[in-house]
Amino acid sequence: DLAATRTAIQNALTTLASKATAGNEITFIYSGHGSSGNIISTDLYYISNSYFKTKFSVSASTKMFFSFDACQIGAMATSLNKTGRIIAVASNTTVYSYDGDATMKNGVFTYYQMKGFDSMGYIYVENDCSYACTQMKSWASSNGVTVAPSYRDSYTGSFNL
């Protein structure tokens, strides 16, 4: 929403990173605009994948999940990859993500992630990410667009939320 300014997002990330200590589970989910590996705040500032990488580089949490539903956001999966993390992205570095129709009320990737958890009963992030990727690709095929959702799983075992 309009409260997602650069300052608000960066302050929230600072708070989240400070809580990424041993034993804590961390989740960050973003659904909005993106470009060239950056998320874009509502006041039109880029927050780069390198900012995220630096912010979470020394985190001691061994259980972290990041999800980005934005265009050209694939660099986040590379930048944030580290043991104990799962990073889901709705697009690679060149293609777009898409808003859903009025019934979806979200980006397509976010819609299917939420549906996986809420309606399909998935309790593990890996199953939910796989479902969201498969469903987004199916949606894209029937809408004549190209998508490249994916997730990087560097967490050992099944990641439950």
Side-chain angles (χ1 to χ4, degrees):
D1 63 10
L2 293 177
T5 63
R6 174 183 65 173
T7 300
I9 293 169
Q10 288 178 330
N11 287 343
L13 289 170
T14 296
T15 299
L16 189 61
S18 74
K19 295 180 181 195
T21 58
N24 283 355
E25 300 173 8
I26 301 298
T27 299
F28 176 83
I29 297 174
Y30 175 82
S31 182
H33 294 288
S35 177
S36 302
N38 306 290
I39 64 172
I40 303 172
S41 64
T42 60
D43 51 349
L44 302 179
Y45 286 95
Y46 285 165
I47 302 174
S48 69
N49 63 80
S50 61
Y51 178 87
F52 275 84
K53 180 179 182 176
T54 300
K55 189 58 72 176
F56 292 96
S57 65
V58 295
S59 299
S61 174
T62 57
K63 192 172 185 181
M64 300 177 81
F65 172 52
F66 296 89
S67 179
F68 298 92
D69 186 354
C71 295
Q72 301 174 342
I73 203 69
M76 287 290 187
T78 303
S79 291
L80 286 167
N81 189 39
K82 191 175 179 181
T83 300
R85 297 179 181 181
I86 296 176
I87 304 101
V89 292
S91 61
N92 62 21
T93 59
T94 60
V95 302
Y96 298 109
S97 183
Y98 290 91
D99 287 334
D101 61 31
T103 64
M104 293 174 146
K105 300 180 184 174
N106 289 289
V108 173
F109 191 68
T110 300
Y111 171 79
Y112 286 116
Q113 280 191 311
M114 291 170 52
K115 185 174 180 182
F117 281 126
D118 294 342
S119 301
M120 304 303 290
Y122 294 125
I123 60 171
Y124 297 112
V125 172
E126 297 88 346
N127 294 341
D128 188 68
C129 287
S130 178
Y131 174 78
C133 289
T134 299
Q135 293 301 310
M136 185 178 190
K137 289 174 186 174
S138 177
W139 174 90
S141 177
S142 56
N143 284 280
V145 296
T146 301
V147 297
S150 65
Y151 69 99
R152 182 166 290 182
D153 184 356
S154 296
Y155 181 79
T156 302
S158 296
F159 190 124
N160 64 323
L161 281 180

